[in-house]
Structure formats: structure tokens, C-alpha cells
């Protein structure tokens, strides 16, 4: 133990030198003492205590602010400055009452990056672990951070110690005065007590780095007697082998029946079996002493307990397992490690004592399994109409190979709205197999009256030219109105086109098919254009306009309104513009006869040329002209007679 205390003292000096260059003191016996926490965290700084920046802007966590304020001996948090952090040694220890209370509440260590160095000191007294702090530190913060663990490592590292998580830290130290108490125990007997193997995984040590030193395991018994086991790294663990030079004459009977373990009151200085493993690394950033405690029980070798695995016929279906140990060792084979899940089988029962103690008599426990049935391929029930169209959701029947089925009941022969059951295709009773099977329920569709299909007959103007026809039936019934029964021959008309679907099925919607016909042409009666004087006498050859009923004509053009020599157009009687019909039509151009000394009008009137009434303008005019002529002749006769008499 003196060797252990010497190494402890040296490490404490190292701790003090890592944190602050404070001289170590000595007790009355001359033993080196570790500096007190107050000495470790006593700040040495200079310069102003305040600056203009708001601390909340660069150190947002209020709990961290209070811890730093308390550690530096300040009166209020706004006295914390970046310069102060840079000039002081920042030590956060759960040995301080306030820190122990506030440290678990910290959610953000932002702000500590302004420090030149940071040290965390955890003993496991606070409700705070290495992992809870490690998860909040950035790689940049870890690079300036030292982490020290001491006392109860099982609380500082409740999930075990993963050495790979120390890589980014400036330094990680684990104080020799610690305990890493585990529940692991070794049961040795008179045949195997000379060695035992401690697996790192058994004591939750992972990613183990270089081991610098493994002290021996000492087990004291009797009066001034001890067993000394030397350790050597082997297969991701440590094999401890008895050094017989320390105990050349061992009476195993003095060991048998005893269990050696460190009492809780001696936890800081283990009195039972433990090994203080010293871990390091090539970068010299790790110095960890881990006191791994465990229990060792000595007994006499018991006969093996054999765990067998059989089917209901007694055939072995898995490799047996064997439990060895000492007489009196408890065993429990009801755990998953022994009660196996065996593919193709289902656990049925256990025969023998699954829980008990090992004895000097061989024991057997048998786990009995029934063969798991082979899952069969599903039987599918399909529902279709007579056209093979799916009309309901298929059902499946599942089970194991050899299971029987019967689908003759109403649970499977469904009532489907709009359909009537007709027949079943396939086996309605049988057994499931490793081949997929199908049974088909066939239904006929119930008739549903459809809306009418109307066949209409129109001319090109949309006028009805024949009576409409209708097609009736049920929804889904086919129709065909392209036949002669619907495509009619209509007198005086010729089929031109069809609108709509002439073939299809009747539905719940009314449908229309329209046959469109062009009217056949009909020879019209002629239109005669006559030319007459005012007395109705023909003065030019008549013209004829021929065509079909409905053809348009226009005889108002110059081709018909002729200029006739000696006559002047007066008026037209009849319709010069219209359509030919089945009735004779006449248009008469009426002209007045021109006098001999009057030129026919050309359409332009000479205001200086006197004109006489046209011949035939009327009886009164003719009488007047005759009277004037007689008067003129009488006057001329009288004048000639007067001249003769005067001579």
C-alpha cells in the first residue's frame, strides 16, 4: 500500500502542476498533500474587470456565469470579462457546493473559448457525468481543457470508460485514489484457481489505449497469507496468473468457501481484489489510474450442468451448452443465452431444474421444442363478373401447410350489390399447401334500366325531316344504330354525315345519334324576264332563268336590264331578286318609246334641249299635240293669204 500512496502523491503533484503552480504542503508525517480546491482555483489576474460588451452576448448560460463568478471571487456576473478569463485558470469542480448544484444544469459552455486553459474536476458527487459535459464541449474547447476524475468512477463514467473520447482533450487524468467498482466476479476452484481472465468488456472498458502498468492482484487470507496474481495484457483483457513464489505452500482448503470483495467502507482504499491499471497514450495527454474492483470466490469444482435442446421426439436440434463452476454456484438457464430461439421450432417446455446450484453431481436441463409448422401459400378468393371483371375485394386465407379450409359458408360467398351469385370455380374445401391456390366466385350483373338512346334525322339546317327512333335496354347492353333499320333512306334527301357513336353500350346517361341529310335538288319552274312598252307590247326577246327550287337569282343586273334602241327604261314589275320555286315567275322591264327628234336618253339630261312627251305617255297629251298642230297650220294659211291680198 505504501507503493500505491507514493504514486498517489506523485499524481497529486502532477494535478497541481497542471492546474496552477502552487507549492504542495506536507502533513505531520511528511506525506505530500494535494493543494486545496481554493488554492487550485484562486485566480491571479490583472487589468480591468469590466468592458462594454454584455456578458449574455458571449456567455449565454446563466448557470455557467454564476459558477465563473463564484470561482473567481467576483461580486456579480457582469464583472466577468474575456480578458479576465484569458489571464486566469478556469477550474470547475464539483467539490464546490455551488458548482455541484449548478453544473448539471449547464446546457452551453459558450464563452469558455476565451480562457487560456480550462480544468474540469469531477468526483461523482454531483448529478453530472463525464458524458454530460463531453457532449457540450466543442473540439476547440476540448483542445484547451483538462479533465480530472477521482473518487467514484462508476458515477463519473456510469456507462463505462470509452478511452477514444479522450483524444481531443488537452489532458485527461484519473486520480489513483478512486474506485471503479464493478459487479463482475470470478468463481475459482481447486482446479483452476491458478489463473483467471479479466475481459475489458466485462468491466465496461472500451477502446483501451496503451497500458503502461498493471500491478498485481493480492488476495490476503488466513494469517499473513496471500495469493499474488501477476497481470499481462492478452486478447483485449488481462490474464492474471498466480505467482507461486509468494505462496509456495498453499492449502486450498483454507480458501475454499470464501468470497473476497472490498467492503463499501474501504472503497477508496480497496482491501479486496482489485487491480490499478495505468493507462496512457503516445501523445502523453492521458494519465489514468483505474482501480478495477471485483469479487473472487473460491470453491470446489462442481460437476457440469448440461443444457440440451431436443424436439418432441427426443432428437437433438441444437448444440448443447455446458455450465461449469464450483459446488454451490448458482445458475439460471432461463435467460436468452440458454433458452434459445431455434429456427423452424417453437419452445414447448423445459425439463429439469432451470434455476438452481451446481453440485458434485452432473445435472441436465432439457429445452423441448415442437417443430414450427411450415407457412403455407395463401388461398386467394376472387370475386368477378361473367366477363372476368373484378367486382369486390379479394380475400385471403392463410395458415400452415396441411391446414384444412372450407369456404362454402356465407362468410365467403358474399352478397354483392347489383350482382347475383352464379357459380364457384375451384375447390371450396381442401388443405393449404406450399403452392398458391385460387377459388373464384362468379356473379352475373343484375339488369339496370338504361337511359334512352335517341336517333334523330335532321337536314343540314337542323330541321327535323323524319320521326326520331329510340333504343332502350339495360345499362351495359350493346347497341348498333349503324344498320339500315336506323340509317334511313329519306325521300328527297341524301345522307351526308352522322353525329355521335353509332355503336356502343347503353348507360345511365341519355345518348343521341344524329343522322344529317342534304336535301336533293328539285328543278324549278323558269323565271321569264320580259321587255314591254307601256302598252304591254313585247319590244325585245324575253330571257329565261332556269335552275333548282331554292336557287337564288338576280335579274337586276345590266345583263337583264337592257338598253333598247328607241326606248327608255321606265320601271320593273315583279321580283328582280329572289329564289326559284316550283311556280312560274315573271319579271317585266317596262320601257317608254322615244320620239323621232328626241335622242334616246343616255342617262344625262341636257337642260338646254327641249323635250317632248314620249309616245304613249297618255291620251290627253296626244290630243293637245294634235290641236297645236292644227292651230299652227291655220295660222300659216292665214299669213300666206294676208300677204297675197296686200300685194
Amino acid at each position: 500500500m505504501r507503493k500505491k500512496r507514493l504514486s498517489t502523491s506523485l499524481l497529486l503533484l502532477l494535478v497541481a502542476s497542471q492546474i496552477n503552480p502552487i507549492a504542495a504542503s506536507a502533513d505531520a508525517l511528511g506525506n505530500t498533500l494535494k493543494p486545496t480546491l481554493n488554492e487550485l482555483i484562486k485566480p491571479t489576474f490583472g487589468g480591468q474587470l469590466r468592458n462594454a460588451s454584455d456578458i449574455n452576448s458571449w456567455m449565454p448560460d446563466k448557470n455557467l456565469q454564476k459558477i465563473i463568478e463564484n470561482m473567481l471571487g467576483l461580486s456579480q456576473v457582469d464583472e466577468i470579462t474575456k480578458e479576465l478569463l484569458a489571464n486566469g485558470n478556469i477550474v470547475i469542480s464539483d467539490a464546490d457546493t455551488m458548482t455541484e448544484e449548478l453544473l448539471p444544469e449547464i446546457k452551453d459552455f459558450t464563452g469558455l473559448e476565451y480562457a487560456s486553459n480550462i480544468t474540469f474536476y469531477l468526483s461523482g458527487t454531483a448529478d453530472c457525468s463525464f458524458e454530460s459535459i463531453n457532449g457540450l464541449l466543442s473540439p476547440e474547447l476540448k483542445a484547451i481543457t483538462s479533465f480530472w476524475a477521482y473518487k467514484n468512477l462508476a458515477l463519473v463514467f456510469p456507462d463505462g470508460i470509452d478511452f477514444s473520447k479522450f483524444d481531443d482533450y488537452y489532458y485527461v487524468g484519473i486520480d489513483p485514489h478512486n474506485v471503479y467498482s464493478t459487479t463482475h466476479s470470478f468463481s475459482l476452484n481447486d482446479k483452476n484457481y491458478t489463473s483467471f481472465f479479466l475481459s475489458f468488456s466485462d468491466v465496461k472498458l472500451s477502446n483501451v489505449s496503451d497500458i503502461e502498468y498493471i500491478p498485481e492482484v493480492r488476495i490476503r487470507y488466513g494469517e499473513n497469507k496471500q495469493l499474488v496474481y501477476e497481470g499481462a495484457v492478452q486478447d483485449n483483457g488481462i490474464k492474471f496468473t498466480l505467482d507461486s513464489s509468494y505462496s509456495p505452500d498453499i492449502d486450498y482448503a483454507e480458501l475454499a468457501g470464501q468470497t473476497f470483495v472490498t467492503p463499501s467502507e474501504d472503497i477508496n482504499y480497496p482491501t479486496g481484489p482489485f487491480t490499478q491499471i495505468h493507462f496512457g497514450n503516445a501523445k502523453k495527454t492521458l494519465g489514468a489510474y483505474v482501480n478495477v474492483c471485483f469479487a473472487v470466490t473460491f470453491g470446489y469444482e462442481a460437476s457440469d450442468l448440461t443444457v440440451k435442446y431436443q424436439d418432441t421426439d427426443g432428437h437433438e436440434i441444437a448444440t448443447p451448452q455446458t455450465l461449469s463452476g464450483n459446488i454451490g454456484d448458482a445458475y439460471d438457464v432461463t435467460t436468452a443465452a440458454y433458452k434459445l430461439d431455434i429456427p423452424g421450432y417453437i419452445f414447448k417446455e423445459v425439463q429439469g431444474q432451470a434455476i438452481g446450484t451446481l453440485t458434485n453431481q452432473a445435472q441436465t436441463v432439457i429445452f423441448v421444442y415442437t417443430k414450427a409448422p411450415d407457412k403455407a401459400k395463401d388461398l386467394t378468393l376472387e370475386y368477378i363478373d361473367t366477363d372476368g371483371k373484378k367486382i369486390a375485394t379479394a380475400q385471403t386465407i392463410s395458415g400452415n401447410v396441411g391446414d384444412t379450409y372450407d369456404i362454402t359458408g356465407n362468410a365467403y360467398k358474399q352478397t354483392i350489390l347489383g350482382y347475383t351469385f352464379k357459380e364457384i370455380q375451384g375447390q371450396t374445401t381442401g388443405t393449404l399447401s406450399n403452392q398458391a391456390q385460387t377459388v373464384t366466385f362468379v356473379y352475373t350483373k343484375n339488369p339496370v334500366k338504361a337511359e334512352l338512346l335517341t336517333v334523330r334525322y335532321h337536314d343540314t339546317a337542323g330541321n327535323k325531316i323524319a320521326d326520331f327512333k329510340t333504343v332502350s335496354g339495360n345499362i351495359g347492353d350493346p347497341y348498333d344504330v349503324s344498320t339500315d333499320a336506323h340509317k334511313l333512306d329519306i325521300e328527297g334527301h341524301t345522307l351526308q354525315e352522322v353525329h355521335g357513336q353509332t355503336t356502343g353500350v347503353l348507360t345511365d346517361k341519355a345518348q343521341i345519334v344524329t343522322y344529317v341529310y342534304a336535301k336533293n335538288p328539285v328543278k324549278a319552274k323558269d323565271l321569264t324576264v320580259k321587255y314591254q312598252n307601256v302598252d304591254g307590247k313585247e319590244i325585245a326577246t324575253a330571257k329565261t332563268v332556269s335552275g333548282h327550287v331554292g336557287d337564288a337569282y338576280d335579274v337586276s343586273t345590266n345583263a337583264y336590264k337592257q338598253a333598247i334602241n328607241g326606248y327608255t327604261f321606265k320601271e320593273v314589275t315583279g321580283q328582280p331578286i329572289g329564289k326559284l320555286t316550283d311556280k312560274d315567275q315573271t319579271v317585266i322591264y317596262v320601257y317608254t318609246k322615244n320620239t323621232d327628234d328626241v335622242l334616246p336618253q343616255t342617262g344625262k339630261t341636257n337642260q338646254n334641249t327641249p323635250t317632248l312627251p314620249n309616245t304613249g305617255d297618255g291620251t290627253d297629251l296626244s290630243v293637245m299635240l294634235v290641236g297645236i298642230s292644227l292651230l299652227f297650220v291655220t295660222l300659216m294659211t292665214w299669213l300666206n293669204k294676208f300677204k297675197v291680198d296686200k300685194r
Side-chain angles (χ1 to χ4, degrees):
M1 187 58 69
R2 179 176 178 80
K3 179 176 180 181
K4 173 171 168 281
R5 288 189 175 180
L6 179 60
S7 63
T8 300
S9 300
L10 291 174
L11 182 61
L12 290 176
L13 286 175
L14 177 61
V15 172
S17 65
Q18 288 286 333
I19 300 175
N20 209 7
I22 299 175
S25 58
D27 61 13
L29 299 177
N31 295 323
T32 302
L33 299 178
K34 184 168 66 175
T36 65
L37 179 62
N38 288 336
E39 291 175 322
L40 288 172
I41 66 175
K42 182 178 181 181
T44 57
F45 60 87
Q48 64 180 14
L49 297 180
R50 301 173 186 266
N51 64 20
S53 62
D54 179 9
I55 188 172
N56 294 313
S57 66
W58 57 274
M59 185 181 284
D61 194 289
K62 301 292 186 182
N63 294 306
L64 179 60
Q65 293 177 13
K66 294 297 293 182
I67 288 175
I68 299 300
E69 173 199 348
N70 177 64
M71 190 210 75
L72 295 178
L74 304 177
S75 60
Q76 55 188 23
V77 296
D78 63 356
E79 292 179 349
I80 302 172
T81 65
K82 298 174 184 178
E83 293 81 5
L84 187 57
L85 293 181
N87 293 330
N89 294 311
I90 306 304
V91 178
I92 299 175
S93 172
D94 64 0
D96 176 76
T97 302
M98 177 181 287
T99 302
E100 181 182 5
E101 178 182 349
L102 296 180
L103 186 57
E105 304 301 322
I106 292 177
K107 300 296 186 292
D108 189 353
F109 284 103
T110 299
L112 291 186
E113 65 270 17
Y114 296 103
S116 56
N117 61 77
I118 307 162
T119 301
F120 284 93
Y121 208 55
L122 288 189
S123 66
T125 58
D127 186 17
C128 185
S129 66
F130 164 79
E131 195 58 50
S132 63
I133 294 175
N134 179 67
L136 296 176
L137 298 180
S138 66
E140 292 74 20
L141 274 178
K142 292 178 183 179
I144 60 172
T145 297
S146 296
F147 188 94
W148 289 88
Y150 68 108
K151 289 189 179 179
N152 194 340
L153 299 188
L155 296 178
V156 179
F157 302 99
D159 297 322
I161 304 175
D162 183 351
F163 288 87
S164 67
K165 295 186 177 181
F166 300 155
D167 292 344
D168 294 335
Y169 284 87
Y170 177 76
Y171 191 82
V172 174
I174 298 179
D175 190 294
H177 294 125
N178 70 76
V179 60
Y180 188 54
S181 183
T182 70
T183 59
H184 195 69
S185 63
F186 295 95
S187 182
L188 306 180
N189 57 53
D190 54 326
K191 302 290 176 42
N192 65 8
Y193 76 96
T194 57
S195 67
F196 58 92
F197 181 76
L198 176 68
S199 170
F200 291 140
S201 62
D202 287 341
V203 290
K204 296 183 179 180
L205 299 176
S206 58
N207 297 305
V208 173
S209 55
D210 295 337
I211 295 178
E212 297 183 350
Y213 178 67
I214 304 173
E216 66 277 1
V217 173
R218 295 176 180 268
I219 300 176
R220 302 181 185 280
Y221 71 99
E223 186 175 351
N224 298 323
K225 295 181 180 180
Q226 64 177 349
L227 300 178
V228 179
Y229 291 87
E230 298 290 345
V233 177
Q234 184 182 97
D235 298 330
N236 202 30
I238 301 172
K239 181 177 181 180
F240 290 96
T241 303
L242 182 65
D243 186 346
S244 59
S245 64
Y246 285 92
S247 306
D249 299 316
I250 297 175
D251 183 358
Y252 188 81
E254 295 183 57
L255 295 170
Q258 295 193 64
T259 297
F260 297 88
V261 65
T262 297
S264 58
E265 61 269 18
D266 296 334
I267 204 69
N268 288 329
Y269 295 94
T271 57
F274 82 100
T275 181
Q276 187 182 81
I277 309 172
H278 186 190
F279 298 91
N281 60 22
K283 298 186 296 184
K284 304 300 181 184
T285 60
L286 173 66
Y289 294 83
V290 180
N291 293 327
V292 180
C293 298
F294 45 84
V296 178
T297 299
F298 293 93
Y300 287 100
E301 183 181 26
S303 295
D304 289 342
L305 168 70
T306 303
V307 182
K308 295 183 177 181
Y309 305 93
Q310 297 178 352
D311 62 18
T312 53
D313 295 326
H315 299 130
E316 183 178 285
I317 57 175
T319 303
Q321 297 192 67
T322 301
L323 275 76
S324 300
N326 298 331
I327 295 174
D329 285 353
Y331 70 82
D332 181 356
V333 296
T334 63
T335 64
Y338 297 98
K339 186 180 176 182
L340 304 179
D341 289 328
I342 301 176
Y345 290 87
I346 298 173
F347 172 73
K348 178 184 179 184
E349 62 184 0
V350 61
Q351 298 174 356
Q353 297 297 320
I355 300 175
T357 56
L358 299 177
T359 68
N360 60 355
Q361 300 295 318
Q363 300 179 73
T364 300
V365 174
I366 301 175
F367 286 93
V368 180
Y369 294 74
T370 57
K371 185 171 178 59
D374 294 332
K375 183 171 176 58
K377 296 288 186 180
D378 287 342
L379 168 67
T380 303
L381 310 182
E382 295 183 343
Y383 302 88
I384 65 174
D385 61 17
T386 52
D387 294 326
K389 181 181 177 182
K390 178 180 176 182
I391 57 174
T393 303
Q395 298 189 62
T396 56
I397 296 177
S398 302
N400 300 311
V401 172
D403 287 352
T404 61
Y405 69 84
D406 181 351
I407 56 173
T408 58
N410 291 332
Y412 301 103
K413 189 169 69 175
Q414 299 186 35
T415 300
I416 302 175
L417 184 64
Y419 291 86
T420 300
F421 173 74
K422 179 185 179 185
E423 62 183 357
I424 296 178
Q425 298 173 356
Q427 297 297 321
T428 57
T429 60
T431 56
L432 300 179
S433 69
N434 57 3
Q435 300 294 320
Q437 301 178 70
T438 301
V439 174
T440 304
F441 289 81
V442 182
Y443 293 73
T444 55
K445 186 173 179 62
N446 298 336
V448 177
K449 187 172 179 59
E451 291 293 328
L452 293 176
L453 168 71
T454 303
V455 184
R456 303 190 304 189
Y457 304 93
H458 286 167
D459 62 17
T460 54
N463 300 311
K464 179 179 178 181
I465 57 175
D467 291 337
F468 296 167
K469 293 190 175 187
T470 57
V471 178
S472 60
N474 297 315
I475 292 176
D477 286 352
Y479 70 83
D480 183 354
V481 294
S482 65
T483 63
D484 292 342
H486 295 90
K487 190 169 64 175
L488 303 180
D489 290 329
I490 300 176
E491 185 177 359
H493 293 79
T494 300
L495 178 64
Q496 179 173 299
E497 59 185 350
V498 62
H499 296 161
Q501 298 294 324
T502 57
T503 60
V505 294
L506 299 178
T507 70
D508 58 352
K509 300 286 191 300
Q511 301 178 72
I512 296 175
V513 174
T514 303
Y515 282 96
V516 180
Y517 292 76
K519 187 174 179 62
N520 296 337
V522 177
K523 183 169 178 60
K525 294 290 186 176
D526 289 342
L527 168 71
T528 303
V529 183
K530 294 182 178 181
Y531 304 92
Q532 296 177 353
N533 62 15
V534 293
D535 296 324
K537 182 179 180 181
E538 187 176 286
I539 58 174
T541 303
K543 292 188 176 184
T544 301
V545 178
S546 299
H548 298 104
V549 172
D551 288 352
Y553 68 83
D554 181 358
V555 295
S556 65
T557 63
N558 289 334
Y560 295 95
K561 186 179 176 183
Q562 298 185 42
I564 301 175
N565 190 30
Y567 289 88
T568 300
F569 171 74
K570 177 186 179 185
E571 61 185 356
V572 61
T573 61
Q575 297 295 326
I577 299 175
K579 291 184 178 181
L580 299 178
T581 70
D582 58 353
K583 300 282 192 293
D584 289 324
Q585 299 179 74
T586 301
V587 175
I588 302 173
Y589 282 93
V590 180
Y591 294 77
T592 58
K593 184 173 178 64
N594 299 333
T595 60
D596 292 340
D597 56 344
V598 178
L599 294 175
Q601 292 181 349
T602 62
K604 181 176 179 182
T605 304
N606 187 339
Q607 300 295 330
N608 297 321
T609 304
T611 61
L612 292 176
N614 291 327
T615 301
D617 280 349
T619 305
D620 291 341
L621 181 59
S622 299
V623 172
M624 182 182 68
L625 290 175
V626 171
I628 292 172
S629 299
L630 291 174
L631 181 61
F632 178 74
V633 170
T634 303
L635 180 60
M636 288 302 295
T637 302
W638 182 80
L639 287 176
N640 287 330
K641 182 179 181 182
F642 177 77
K643 287 180 181 180
V644 171
D645 290 341
K646 191 175 181 180
R647 271 194 215 114

